[in-house]
Amino acid sequence: MRGIAVGTHPRFLEHDPGPWHPERPERLRAVERALSRFEDALVRFSPTPAPRAAVEAVHLPAHVDALERFCLMGGGPLDADTTVNDASFDAALLAAGAGLDAVQLLASEVADAAFLPLRPPGHHATSDTAMGFCLLNNVAIVARELTRRGERVLILDFDAHHGNGTEAIFREDPNVLYVSTHQYPLFPGTGRIGDVGVGRGVGTTINLPLPPRSTGLTARVALESIALPHVVDFHPTWALVSAGYDGHPADPLTELDFRSPDFAAFVALALDVVRPGRTIVFLEGGYDLEALEHGTAVTIATLLHERVDCGEAPSTDVDHDLVATLARLRADSLARARDARGE
Ligand SMILES: [Zn+2]
């Protein structure tokens, strides 16, 4: 029993988008309250900054330079949602580096899985735009590095928002399977069921958009019936999870109905499709502190193949009509995309 690698750094707390911002340093204190319940099972590490080459394998160099300059000059708002300070660029490089360090720790069998409570989060960041509280795309930087080494990467994104950045970065890449459940419509407006990938990447994007108030069980049934057969066929060698806990009904930004046991089920789905020691969970969103604490606790417990009771029952309602409609629309879109490629 080696335990769960957890990468934390004081810089993650120093990235501060300002008062009243939902993506606030207190989030990591809520995560720490959950982690303290598992301290004996954690392999703590202090991340190193991601090398520039790994960052620029995903992001345009001019964009990275501009972001660095803006932060070094003191920062400010990048758009209506995304604000940085003088610590933000360092924090972003360390957040990206944490994933690369986790790959090394798992590959050398120092830990059984990894959980990375990162700030700033990453899944909205595109190759040339910081947006949606995200500066650099942490999960994408790791996925790109893994594919460079010949690996096949599943990215499972259960954040309540669609990971537009991650999808855009890999939509033409046949070696990265991007699977997302998300509220739709919701920021950033992407993640339609008909977006199935582009060119050689046709089939390796799976979007499961869910209307407000959809339950975690509906998401699980959609994942298991629509996505899982493709995931199994894809034969991933690594599973990277974009874990956002903002699907919880207490979350102030969204309107889904995902409970802690549902988050555990999402993590288990990723854990079960790769061999032991090949799963890394990246923190994305989650803005209700108690829901974030409970989500973290069930995630760590699941990675340890344990159960933890947060006092919440799993959801029991399933919208089977919705799941059937999503399955039909995706199958139609995939057939059209494959026809267009002459497959
Ligand atoms: Zn989110």
Side-chain angles (χ1 to χ4, degrees):
M1 181 46 228
R2 293 173 294 253
I4 308 304
V6 173
T8 56
H9 198 285
R11 272 296 205 220
F12 296 159
L13 291 162
E14 292 165 14
H15 161 62
D16 189 352
W20 318 118
H21 198 288
E23 203 293 282
R24 57 208 191 277
E26 287 76 10
R27 296 178 63 233
L28 293 189
R29 298 195 182 97
V31 168
E32 280 298 335
R33 284 195 289 278
L35 292 176
S36 65
R37 298 167 64 173
F38 299 92
E39 203 61 56
D40 291 348
L42 305 184
V43 181
R44 298 267 190 175
F45 72 97
S46 182
T48 49
R52 200 65 165 222
V55 174
E56 293 181 359
V58 164
H59 296 284
L60 295 185
H63 166 61
V64 181
D65 289 342
L67 194 58
E68 180 174 25
R69 258 197 317 275
F70 190 70
C71 293
L72 288 179
M73 290 190 310
L78 288 164
D79 65 21
D81 306 307
T82 314
T83 300
V84 294
N85 65 354
D86 57 358
S88 300
F89 187 76
D90 283 356
L93 279 187
L94 286 160
L100 300 170
D101 291 342
V103 167
Q104 286 310 114
L105 289 172
L106 295 185
S108 53
E109 304 191 346
V110 173
D112 300 304
F115 176 76
L116 306 176
L118 309 175
R119 292 184 64 252
H123 74 152
H124 293 304
T126 68
S127 61
D128 64 355
T129 307
M131 61 181 282
F133 318 158
C134 302
L135 304 185
L136 302 176
N137 196 315
N138 307 315
V139 75
I141 287 167
V142 175
R144 178 69 37 91
E145 172 62 21
L146 286 169
T147 59
R148 198 184 61 76
R149 300 182 191 180
E151 305 285 351
R152 296 173 63 74
V153 182
L154 165 68
I155 301 177
L156 174 62
D157 185 336
F158 64 78
D159 189 279
H161 301 89
H162 179 245
N164 60 297
T166 312
E167 180 190 301
I169 289 161
F170 296 112
R171 65 190 195 143
E172 293 187 62
D173 189 336
N175 296 314
V176 176
L177 176 57
Y178 178 69
V179 178
S180 176
T181 59
H182 46 272
Q183 181 179 327
Y184 188 93
L186 185 69
F187 177 88
T190 51
R192 294 176 309 162
I193 184 76
D195 295 334
V196 296
V198 171
R200 293 172 64 233
V202 164
T204 59
T205 296
I206 302 179
N207 285 319
L208 300 171
L210 305 168
R213 288 175 288 286
S214 292
T215 65
L217 191 55
T218 295
R220 287 161 65 179
V221 171
L223 281 168
E224 283 165 16
S225 64
I226 302 171
L228 191 57
H230 293 281
V231 173
V232 171
D233 282 350
F234 179 76
H235 298 296
T237 56
W238 283 78
L240 308 182
V241 181
S242 272
Y245 303 96
D246 44 5
H248 193 279
D251 196 274
L253 302 191
T254 72
E255 299 148 288
L256 290 175
D257 190 6
F258 294 180
R259 309 292 171 123
S260 327
D262 301 314
F263 296 131
F266 301 146
V267 173
L269 189 145
L271 197 59
D272 287 348
V273 295
V274 289
R275 75 178 178 86
R278 291 296 179 268
T279 301
I280 304 176
V281 179
F282 297 71
L283 178 63
E284 301 283 2
Y287 307 102
D288 176 78
L289 297 183
E290 189 174 320
L292 177 58
E293 180 181 337
H294 290 174
T296 301
V298 298
T299 297
I300 297 293
T302 305
L303 293 176
L304 288 165
H305 301 281
E306 293 175 6
R307 290 173 65 86
V308 65
D309 185 5
C310 293
E312 274 189 299
S315 52
T316 52
D317 290 344
V318 182
D319 187 340
H320 287 290
D321 290 344
L322 172 71
V323 174
T325 302
L326 290 175
R328 181 171 49 76
L329 292 173
R330 175 171 165 82
D332 291 350
S333 300
L334 195 53
R336 274 199 302 278
R338 289 194 164 136
D339 275 354
R341 277 178 53 78
E343 288 179 16

